[in-house]
Coordinates of all heavy atoms in Angstrom, one line a residue:
V295 N 0.0 -11.9 -4.3 CA 1.1 -10.9 -4.2 C 2.3 -11.7 -3.6 O 2.1 -12.3 -2.5 CB 0.7 -9.7 -3.4 CG1 1.9 -8.8 -3.3 CG2 -0.5 -9.0 -4.0
E296 N 3.4 -11.6 -4.2 CA 4.6 -12.2 -3.6 C 5.7 -11.2 -3.8 O 5.7 -10.2 -4.5 CB 5.0 -13.5 -4.3 CG 5.2 -13.4 -5.9 CD 5.3 -14.6 -6.6 OE1 4.6 -15.6 -6.4 OE2 6.2 -14.7 -7.5
G297 N 6.7 -11.5 -2.9 CA 7.9 -10.5 -2.9 C 8.4 -10.2 -1.6 O 7.9 -10.8 -0.6
S298 N 9.2 -9.2 -1.4 CA 9.7 -8.7 -0.2 C 10.5 -9.8 0.5 O 10.4 -10.0 1.7 CB 8.7 -8.2 0.7 OG 8.1 -7.0 0.2
I299 N 11.4 -10.4 -0.3 CA 12.4 -11.4 0.3 C 13.7 -11.0 -0.1 O 14.5 -11.7 -0.7 CB 12.0 -12.8 -0.3 CG1 10.5 -13.1 -0.2 CG2 12.8 -13.9 0.5 CD1 10.1 -14.4 -0.9
G300 N 14.1 -9.7 0.2 CA 15.3 -9.1 -0.3 C 16.6 -9.5 0.4 O 17.6 -8.9 0.2
T301 N 16.5 -10.4 1.3 CA 17.7 -10.8 2.0 C 18.4 -12.0 1.5 O 19.4 -12.5 2.1 CB 17.4 -11.1 3.5 OG1 16.4 -12.1 3.6 CG2 16.8 -9.8 4.2
L302 N 17.9 -12.6 0.4 CA 18.5 -13.9 -0.1 C 19.5 -13.7 -1.2 O 20.3 -14.6 -1.5 CB 17.4 -14.8 -0.6 CG 16.3 -15.2 0.5 CD1 15.2 -16.0 -0.1 CD2 17.0 -15.9 1.6
L303 N 19.5 -12.6 -1.9 CA 20.3 -12.5 -3.2 C 21.7 -12.0 -2.9 O 22.7 -12.6 -3.3 CB 19.6 -11.5 -4.1 CG 20.4 -11.1 -5.5 CD1 20.5 -12.5 -6.3 CD2 19.7 -10.1 -6.2
L304 N 21.8 -11.0 -2.1 CA 23.1 -10.3 -1.8 C 23.6 -10.6 -0.4 O 22.8 -10.8 0.5 CB 23.0 -8.8 -2.0 CG 22.6 -8.4 -3.4 CD1 22.3 -6.9 -3.5 CD2 23.5 -8.8 -4.5
E305 N 24.8 -10.5 -0.2 CA 25.4 -10.6 1.1 C 24.8 -9.6 2.1 O 24.5 -9.8 3.3 CB 26.9 -10.5 1.2 CG 27.6 -10.7 2.5 CD 29.0 -10.8 2.4 OE1 29.6 -11.6 1.6 OE2 29.7 -10.1 3.1
A306 N 24.6 -8.4 1.6 CA 23.9 -7.2 2.3 C 23.1 -6.5 1.3 O 23.5 -6.2 0.3 CB 25.0 -6.3 2.9
D307 N 21.8 -6.2 1.8 CA 20.9 -5.5 0.8 C 21.4 -4.1 0.5 O 22.1 -3.6 1.3 CB 19.5 -5.5 1.5 CG 18.5 -5.2 0.5 OD1 18.1 -6.0 -0.5 OD2 17.9 -4.1 0.6
V308 N 20.9 -3.6 -0.5 CA 21.2 -2.2 -0.9 C 20.5 -1.1 -0.2 O 20.7 0.1 -0.5 CB 21.2 -2.0 -2.5 CG1 22.2 -3.0 -3.1 CG2 19.8 -2.2 -2.9
C309 N 19.6 -1.4 0.6 CA 18.8 -0.5 1.3 C 19.2 -0.5 2.8 O 19.6 -1.5 3.4 CB 17.3 -0.8 1.2 SG 16.8 -0.4 -0.5
E310 N 19.0 0.7 3.4 CA 19.3 0.9 4.8 C 18.5 -0.1 5.7 O 19.0 -0.7 6.6 CB 19.0 2.4 5.3 CG 19.3 2.7 6.7 CD 19.2 4.2 6.9 OE1 18.0 4.6 6.8 OE2 20.2 4.8 7.2
S311 N 17.2 -0.2 5.4 CA 16.3 -1.1 6.1 C 15.8 -2.1 5.1 O 14.8 -1.8 4.4 CB 15.2 -0.4 6.8 OG 15.7 0.4 7.8
P312 N 16.4 -3.4 5.0 CA 15.8 -4.3 3.9 C 14.4 -4.6 4.2 O 13.8 -4.7 5.2 CB 16.7 -5.5 4.2 CG 17.9 -5.0 4.8 CD 17.5 -3.8 5.7
L313 N 13.7 -4.7 3.0 CA 12.2 -5.0 3.1 C 12.0 -6.4 3.1 O 12.5 -7.2 2.2 CB 11.5 -4.4 1.8 CG 11.3 -2.9 1.8 CD1 10.6 -2.6 0.5 CD2 10.6 -2.4 2.9
V314 N 11.3 -6.9 4.1 CA 10.9 -8.3 4.2 C 9.4 -8.3 4.7 O 9.0 -7.3 5.3 CB 11.8 -9.1 5.2 CG1 13.1 -9.3 4.6 CG2 11.7 -8.5 6.5
F315 N 8.7 -9.3 4.4 CA 7.3 -9.4 4.9 C 7.3 -9.9 6.3 O 8.2 -10.3 6.8 CB 6.4 -10.3 4.0 CG 7.0 -11.7 3.8 CD1 6.8 -12.7 4.8 CD2 7.8 -12.1 2.7 CE1 7.2 -13.9 4.7 CE2 8.2 -13.4 2.6 CZ 8.0 -14.3 3.6
G316 N 6.2 -9.5 7.0 CA 6.1 -9.8 8.4 C 5.3 -11.1 8.6 O 5.2 -12.0 7.7
Q317 N 4.8 -11.3 9.8 CA 4.1 -12.4 10.2 C 2.9 -12.8 9.3 O 2.2 -11.8 8.9 CB 3.6 -12.4 11.7 CG 2.9 -13.5 12.2 CD 2.6 -13.3 13.7 OE1 2.8 -12.3 14.3 NE2 2.1 -14.4 14.3
A318 N 2.7 -13.9 9.0 CA 1.6 -14.4 8.0 C 1.7 -13.7 6.7 O 0.7 -13.6 5.9 CB 0.2 -14.1 8.7
G319 N 2.9 -13.3 6.2 CA 3.1 -12.7 4.9 C 2.6 -11.3 4.8 O 2.5 -10.8 3.7
R320 N 2.2 -10.6 5.9 CA 1.8 -9.3 5.8 C 2.9 -8.3 5.6 O 4.0 -8.4 6.1 CB 1.1 -8.9 7.1 CG -0.3 -9.6 7.3 CD -0.9 -9.2 8.6 NE -2.3 -9.5 8.6 CZ -2.8 -10.8 8.8 NH1 -1.9 -11.8 8.8 NH2 -4.0 -11.0 8.9
A321 N 2.6 -7.3 4.8 CA 3.6 -6.2 4.4 C 2.9 -4.9 4.3 O 1.9 -4.8 3.6 CB 4.3 -6.5 3.1
P322 N 3.3 -4.0 5.2 CA 2.6 -2.6 5.1 C 2.9 -1.8 3.8 O 4.0 -2.1 3.2 CB 3.2 -1.9 6.3 CG 4.5 -2.5 6.5 CD 4.4 -3.9 6.1
A323 N 2.0 -0.9 3.6 CA 2.4 0.0 2.5 C 3.5 0.9 2.9 O 3.8 1.1 4.1 CB 1.1 1.0 2.2
L324 N 4.3 1.4 1.9 CA 5.4 2.3 2.1 C 5.0 3.7 1.8 O 4.2 4.0 1.0 CB 6.5 1.8 1.2 CG 7.0 0.4 1.3 CD1 8.0 0.1 0.2 CD2 7.7 0.2 2.6
H325 N 5.7 4.6 2.6 CA 5.4 6.0 2.5 C 6.7 6.7 2.4 O 7.7 6.3 2.9 CB 4.5 6.5 3.7 CG 3.3 5.7 3.9 ND1 2.1 5.9 3.0 CD2 2.9 4.8 4.7 CE1 1.2 5.1 3.4 NE2 1.6 4.4 4.4
G326 N 6.6 8.0 1.9 CA 7.8 8.8 1.8 C 8.2 9.1 0.3 O 7.5 8.7 -0.6
D327 N 9.3 9.7 0.2 CA 9.7 10.2 -1.1 C 10.1 9.0 -2.0 O 10.6 7.9 -1.4 CB 10.9 11.1 -1.1 CG 10.6 12.4 -0.4 OD1 9.4 12.8 -0.4 OD2 11.5 13.0 0.2
G328 N 9.9 9.1 -3.3 CA 10.2 8.0 -4.2 C 9.5 6.7 -3.9 O 8.3 6.7 -3.7
L329 N 10.2 5.6 -3.7 CA 9.7 4.4 -3.4 C 9.4 4.2 -1.9 O 9.0 3.2 -1.4 CB 10.5 3.2 -3.9 CG 10.5 3.0 -5.4 CD1 11.5 2.0 -5.8 CD2 9.1 2.7 -5.9
G330 N 9.8 5.1 -1.1 CA 9.8 5.1 0.4 C 10.9 4.2 1.0 O 10.7 3.8 2.2
I331 N 11.9 4.2 0.4 CA 13.1 3.4 0.9 C 14.4 4.3 0.8 O 14.4 5.3 0.1 CB 13.3 2.1 0.1 CG1 13.6 2.3 -1.4 CG2 12.3 1.1 0.4 CD1 13.9 1.1 -2.2
H332 N 15.3 3.9 1.6 CA 16.6 4.7 1.5 C 17.7 3.8 1.0 O 18.1 2.9 1.7 CB 17.0 5.2 2.9 CG 18.3 6.0 2.9 ND1 19.5 5.5 3.5 CD2 18.6 7.2 2.4 CE1 20.4 6.4 3.3 NE2 19.9 7.4 2.6
V333 N 18.1 4.0 -0.2 CA 19.1 3.2 -1.0 C 20.5 3.6 -0.5 O 20.7 4.9 -0.5 CB 19.0 3.3 -2.5 CG1 20.1 2.5 -3.1 CG2 17.6 2.8 -2.9
L334 N 21.3 2.8 -0.2 CA 22.7 3.1 0.2 C 23.6 3.2 -1.0 O 24.0 2.1 -1.6 CB 23.2 2.1 1.2 CG 22.4 1.8 2.4 CD1 22.9 0.7 3.3 CD2 22.5 3.1 3.3
D335 N 23.9 4.3 -1.5 CA 24.6 4.5 -2.7 C 26.0 3.8 -2.7 O 26.3 3.2 -3.7 CB 24.9 6.1 -3.0 CG 23.6 6.8 -3.3 OD1 22.6 6.1 -3.8 OD2 23.6 8.0 -3.1
Q336 N 26.7 3.9 -1.6 CA 28.0 3.2 -1.5 C 27.8 1.7 -1.8 O 28.7 1.1 -2.4 CB 28.7 3.5 -0.2 CG 30.1 2.9 -0.2 CD 31.0 3.4 -1.3 OE1 31.1 4.7 -1.5 NE2 31.6 2.5 -2.1
R337 N 26.8 1.1 -1.2 CA 26.6 -0.3 -1.4 C 26.3 -0.6 -2.8 O 26.8 -1.7 -3.3 CB 25.5 -0.8 -0.4 CG 25.5 -2.3 -0.4 CD 25.0 -3.0 0.8 NE 25.6 -2.6 2.1 CZ 25.0 -2.5 3.3 NH1 23.6 -2.8 3.2 NH2 25.5 -2.1 4.3
L338 N 25.5 0.2 -3.5 CA 25.3 -0.1 -4.9 C 26.6 0.0 -5.7 O 26.9 -0.9 -6.5 CB 24.4 1.0 -5.4 CG 22.9 0.9 -5.3 CD1 22.1 2.0 -5.8 CD2 22.4 -0.4 -5.8
E339 N 27.4 1.0 -5.3 CA 28.7 1.1 -6.0 C 29.6 -0.1 -5.7 O 30.3 -0.6 -6.6 CB 29.4 2.4 -5.6 CG 28.8 3.6 -6.1 CD 29.5 4.9 -5.7 OE1 30.7 4.8 -5.4 OE2 28.8 5.9 -5.7
D340 N 29.5 -0.7 -4.5 CA 30.3 -1.8 -4.2 C 30.0 -3.0 -5.0 O 30.7 -3.9 -5.4 CB 30.2 -2.2 -2.7 CG 30.8 -1.1 -1.8 OD1 31.6 -0.3 -2.3 OD2 30.5 -1.1 -0.6
Y341 N 28.6 -3.2 -5.3 CA 28.2 -4.4 -6.1 C 28.2 -4.1 -7.6 O 28.2 -5.0 -8.4 CB 26.7 -4.6 -5.8 CG 26.5 -5.4 -4.4 CD1 25.8 -4.8 -3.4 CD2 27.2 -6.5 -4.2 CE1 25.6 -5.4 -2.3 CE2 27.0 -7.2 -2.9 CZ 26.2 -6.7 -2.0 OH 26.0 -7.3 -0.8
A342 N 28.4 -2.9 -8.0 CA 28.4 -2.6 -9.4 C 29.6 -3.2 -10.2 O 30.8 -3.2 -9.6 CB 28.4 -1.0 -9.6
Q343 N 29.4 -3.8 -11.3 CA 30.5 -4.2 -12.2 C 30.9 -3.1 -13.1 O 32.0 -3.1 -13.5 CB 30.0 -5.4 -13.0 CG 29.7 -6.6 -12.2 CD 29.3 -7.8 -13.0 OE1 29.2 -7.7 -14.3 NE2 28.9 -8.9 -12.3

Side-chain angles (χ1 to χ4, degrees):
V295 177
E296 55 187 45
S298 292
I299 313 173
T301 58
L302 300 175
L303 178 63
L304 303 173
E305 188 173 302
D307 194 69
V308 296
C309 290
E310 185 174 63
S311 298
L313 288 182
V314 294
F315 55 83
Q317 185 175 3
R320 288 182 169 66
L324 300 171
H325 303 283
D327 295 335
L329 290 174
I331 56 175
H332 181 248
V333 177
L334 301 171
D335 292 337
Q336 184 58 54
R337 190 150 309 146
L338 279 178
E339 289 180 25
D340 292 344
Y341 284 122
Q343 293 182 2

